[in-house]
């Protein structure tokens, strides 16, 4: 596939192209149009948040109806004064890029999940890499992961401890008395004897989707479908919403910091 030829056609047709980055699990997109196509690169405008993604990640994925596949690119240079990027080193990206149907977020702190796989009497501890309302990715140390027991399709039971943002907010609100208490009863929280103050332990069943070794970090990444139900689902939705707001605010701060230093980044 001659990617640059396709980019020239997109430029001539003034078709839209979308920049896609994944920041802490959250898709960050920007719809734009090409400004120029060179012998080995393209010039494309971006908004400040996306320029910050390009600066800190050094890459972006390109999507367009005129492209048969999503294209990965690396950042050659950035112009913060005029908010545009020069992208180069194009290659066809993996098939799963851009196909997430649900919001997925990465935790800010280390969150530990306890997993019991079907056919095993033992529990295995993994750290949460990301979570959506219907799935998780977990990281296991390679010497602790039961490779002979676990494969795609293996079922398991999971316990996951996550921050209780509602309880933390309630601590900041003065206690209600009298008629207020009768009108607005305290919210019901999922109970777990193992939970610590400020945390909720939720339980759910799941099924392994994929297992990928990460040689550099000597870990296994396990992606799984998880079936959160009732109050556990509500808590996960609340956590995802809170993390989404935090991630967007974090990116805004990074963008402001980058543009405040733009005179030193020529």
């Amino acid at each position: 596939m001659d990617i640059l030829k396709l980019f020239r056609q997109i430029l001539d047709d003034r078709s839209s192209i979308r920049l896609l980055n994944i920041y802490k699990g959250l898709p960050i997109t920007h719809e734009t149009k090409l400004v120029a196509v060179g012998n080995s690169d393209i010039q494309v405008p971006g908004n400040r948040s996306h320029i910050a993604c390009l600066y800190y990640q050094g890459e972006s994925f390109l999507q367009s109806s005129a492209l048969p596949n999503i294209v990965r690119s690396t950042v050659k240079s950035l112009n913060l004064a005029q908010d545009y990027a020069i992208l180069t080193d194009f290659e066809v990206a993996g098939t799963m890029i851009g196909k997430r149907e649900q919001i997925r977020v990465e935790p800010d702190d280390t969150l530990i999940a306890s997993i019991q796989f079907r056919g095993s009497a033992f529990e295995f501890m993994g750290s949460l890499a990301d979570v959506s309302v219907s799935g998780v990715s977990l990281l296991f140390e390679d010497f602790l992961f039961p490779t002979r027991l676990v494969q795609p399709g293996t079922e398991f039971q999971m316990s996951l401890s996550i921050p209780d943002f509602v309880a933390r907010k309630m601590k900041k609100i003065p206690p209600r008395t009298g008629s207020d208490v009768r009108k607005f009863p305290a919210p019901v929280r999922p109970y777990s004897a193992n939970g610590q103050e400020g945390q909720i332990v939720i339980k759910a069943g799941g099924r392994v989707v994929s297992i990928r070794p990460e040689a550099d970090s000597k870990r296994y990444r396990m992606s799984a479908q998880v079936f959160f139900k009732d109050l556990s689902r509500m808590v996960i939705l609340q956590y995802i919403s809170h993390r989404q707001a935090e991630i967007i605010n974090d990116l805004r701060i990074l963008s402001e910091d980058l543009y405040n230093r733009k005179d030193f980044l020529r």
Side-chain angles (χ1 to χ4, degrees), residues 127-144:
S127 60
L128 186 69
D130 58 52
V131 60
S132 74
V133 72
S134 63
V136 298
S137 289
L138 298 170
L139 298 173
F140 296 87
E141 298 296 330
D142 59 359
F143 64 92
L144 294 176

Side-chain angles (χ1 to χ4, degrees), residues 151-172:
Q151 58 186 349
T154 299
E155 296 181 350
F156 61 83
Q157 293 295 318
M158 178 183 75
S159 296
L160 174 65
S161 179
I162 65 173
D164 184 354
F165 296 115
V166 169
R168 293 179 184 182
K169 288 181 181 179
M170 289 176 65
K171 287 183 178 180
K172 301 177 181 179

Side-chain angles (χ1 to χ4, degrees), residues 161-171 187-190 196-201 235 238-239 242:
S161 179
I162 65 173
D164 184 354
F165 296 115
V166 169
R168 293 179 184 182
K169 288 181 181 179
M170 289 176 65
K171 287 183 178 180
V188 177
R189 314 300 295 153
Q196 299 178 0
E197 184 178 1
Q199 291 186 326
I200 301 174
V201 176
V235 172
Q238 177 193 89
Y239 175 77
H242 186 92

Side-chain angles (χ1 to χ4, degrees), residues 190-224:
Y191 171 80
S192 171
N194 297 323
Q196 299 178 0
E197 184 178 1
Q199 291 186 326
I200 301 174
V201 176
I202 59 176
K203 299 180 183 295
R207 182 184 299 114
V208 176
V209 173
S210 65
I211 305 162
R212 187 173 75 250
E214 297 184 345
D216 293 343
S217 57
K218 296 182 179 180
R219 299 183 300 189
Y220 281 93
R221 177 183 285 263
M222 185 188 82
S223 297

